[in-house]
Amino acid sequence: MSNDLVIDGLSKSFSSSSAPVLNNVNLALESGSCTAVLGPSGSGKSTLLRAVAGLEAPDAGRIVLHGTDLARVSPEHRGMAMVSQRPLLFPHLNVLDNVAFAATVRGVRRRAARTDAAHFLDLVQLEGYGRRPVTALSGGQAQRVAIARALAARPAILLLDEPFSALDAELRSAMHELLAQLRERLAPTILMVTHDRDEAAAVADRIALLSHGRLLQHDRVDLMYSRPVSLEVHRLMGGTNEITGTVRDGVHYSALGDLDLPADTGWPDGPGVLVIRQESISIQDNTRNPAGLDLPAIVTDIRVLGPRRLVTVDASGITLHAEAPWGRPLRAGDAVRLTIPVSARALVPGQPDPGRPTTADTATAVMTTGRT
Ligand code: ADP
Ligand code: MG
């Protein structure tokens, strides 16, 4: 796969006294892929998108589209189309002419531009809406018109800045479905900003995680969850289980026990924090597993998460969270056994923040015997 867009060492500050809003960001977008720039509010996501669009001038670094450095290319000649949180449709034009706008400006004959626009309205499931005034559209419909208008411009990169965040949850998932269909039919290269990791995971192939202007990790969606490169990434991806310990010969030693690590980790011997997704821990009855592949624990708390429950357990003095489906009743005080698949174990450097409730004090915990 070739890269459509390469962002190379991009930095940006708005004033010399404050911290940079973008700090040496490197990112490459494969042709036809959808990359979600994910990060908390204020982490620099929109600034990154605006720099790609040519609406902010970077202090350092390059933005290269199909091999061409865009430094001297004006926004309207970059081949980018942007859709933001608000659809920003032209109020004096009807739906069809909003979508036909880019083609008409390029000098395409009005009739041909309208025929083309009607095709894009079909693609966003607004067939027959062409003659309506844009003021007569609902929020979700207006956003679909904005997407059709952007796609009709045949952008090299489609830039989406929190495009669905103003919509309610049901409409938002309908838009995710629509985006998936558009990707199947047109395969545009998409760079999409969102602060919602569920949305990023639902629509993108890859996530680029930003924090304070730094790109922490850029990886396939599944790897962002299962192989975070740091504790910060693990936490920003919503992970809650952190176990301090020591690695020797591919085994993590902690109060939880001696846990084999996946062969792909390649972790050097020394201190390391084992991180485990709460969705990956399964809770079994307290019957002895003859293979010894599970860990004893006591349930300390149960919280309902809609169709699932978040179960907090104490395992050898370590607090762990497991997201479990509904099944047999569980109560605080129940003795259970935990299974943690080897593939769900990941290592990150550093020491967890001692103030966090998910962290146990391994120094005082008793080492258990037997490898799990
Ligand atoms: P995000 O989209 O991740 O919420 P932004 O890229 O909009 O973040 O902003 C990142 C930081 O840069 C924020 O602290 C914001 O206040 C600041 N910022 C953005 N645009 C400007 C500007 N034009 N002038 C000064 N500061 C700005
Ligand atoms: Mg923003």
Side-chain angles (χ1 to χ4, degrees):
M1 275 286 199
S2 61
N3 287 326
D4 274 3
L5 185 80
V6 177
I7 297 169
D8 177 20
L10 205 71
S11 294
K12 172 80 184 170
S13 297
F14 284 106
S15 79
S16 52
S17 55
S18 59
V21 170
L22 294 175
N23 193 345
N24 190 25
V25 172
N26 297 291
L27 188 62
L29 305 190
E30 272 182 9
S31 188
S33 67
C34 177
T35 302
V37 178
L38 175 67
S41 179
S43 55
K45 306 181 297 294
S46 293
T47 304
L48 179 63
L49 215 67
R50 289 171 57 78
V52 170
L55 303 171
E56 292 297 351
D59 301 333
R62 299 187 316 150
I63 298 164
V64 180
L65 178 68
H66 297 137
T68 303
D69 188 334
L70 295 181
R72 292 174 191 283
V73 181
S74 63
E76 57 277 20
H77 293 113
R78 289 192 173 204
M80 312 279 174
M82 172 125 68
V83 177
S84 311
Q85 189 176 340
R86 286 179 303 124
L88 303 173
L89 300 174
F90 304 115
H92 60 290
L93 298 178
N94 68 20
V95 168
L96 191 68
D97 287 334
N98 261 277
V99 179
F101 183 78
T104 337
V105 168
R106 272 201 320 271
V108 176
R109 299 264 295 275
R110 176 160 294 210
R111 201 160 154 191
R114 283 181 169 167
T115 305
D116 189 59
H119 164 68
F120 282 95
L121 278 182
D122 290 356
L123 281 176
V124 298
Q125 295 153 12
L126 286 177
E127 196 179 352
Y129 280 71
R131 291 184 176 281
R132 294 203 187 184
V134 293
T135 46
L137 298 175
S138 70
Q141 288 167 343
Q143 204 56 316
R144 280 191 272 161
V145 173
I147 291 172
R149 183 176 63 179
L151 288 169
R154 271 64 169 191
I157 313 285
L158 177 62
L159 304 173
L160 304 175
D161 190 349
E162 312 248 12
F164 313 132
S165 58
L167 306 177
D168 65 48
E170 208 163 313
L171 262 181
R172 210 157 49 228
S173 47
M175 295 300 275
H176 298 164
E177 183 60 34
L178 174 70
L179 199 58
Q181 287 169 16
L182 292 171
R183 292 192 60 204
E184 266 173 40
R185 299 218 193 155
L186 306 174
T189 304
I190 302 174
L191 185 58
M192 169 170 167
V193 160
T194 178
H195 65 271
D196 175 350
R197 62 175 173 261
D198 293 335
E199 176 163 274
V203 304
D205 309 306
R206 296 171 73 89
I207 291 176
L209 184 61
L210 266 192
S211 174
H212 301 291
R214 287 180 304 119
L215 183 64
L216 301 181
Q217 186 168 351
H218 175 216
D219 242 320
R220 265 184 8 225
V221 171
D222 60 318
L223 295 176
M224 294 298 297
Y225 288 99
S226 64
R227 293 289 179 269
V229 299
S230 65
L231 212 44
E232 192 179 3
V233 172
H234 172 69
R235 289 175 183 173
L236 285 171
M237 294 308 295
T240 54
N241 294 315
E242 306 168 0
I243 304 119
T244 50
T246 308
V247 177
R248 205 162 358 97
D249 297 333
V251 180
H252 186 262
Y253 297 90
S254 74
L256 206 55
D258 308 348
L259 297 185
D260 280 333
L261 296 170
D264 67 346
T265 306
W267 189 255
D269 288 356
V273 181
L274 179 66
V275 294
I276 301 161
R277 292 294 307 187
Q278 53 275 26
E279 304 86 356
S280 302
I281 300 181
S282 57
I283 298 177
Q284 325 284 335
D285 277 326
N286 187 26
T287 44
R288 184 109 204 122
N289 178 336
L293 289 175
D294 52 14
L295 303 162
I298 303 287
V299 174
T300 56
D301 188 46
I302 299 160
R303 237 167 256 180
V304 175
L305 298 177
R308 298 172 71 76
R309 19 180 207 182
L310 180 66
V311 183
T312 307
V313 300
D314 181 305
S316 309
I318 296 198
T319 300
L320 294 176
H321 298 113
E323 229 180 272
W326 290 97
R328 128 191 108 79
L330 276 176
R331 276 185 305 267
D334 283 356
V336 293
R337 302 190 74 82
L338 309 176
T339 306
I340 305 171
V342 174
S343 61
R345 304 170 188 175
L347 268 164
V348 296
Q351 298 294 315
D353 169 1
R356 274 174 75 94
T358 54
T359 310
D361 183 358
T362 52
T364 57
V366 185
M367 292 280 264
T368 58
T369 52
R371 188 174 295 179
T372 301

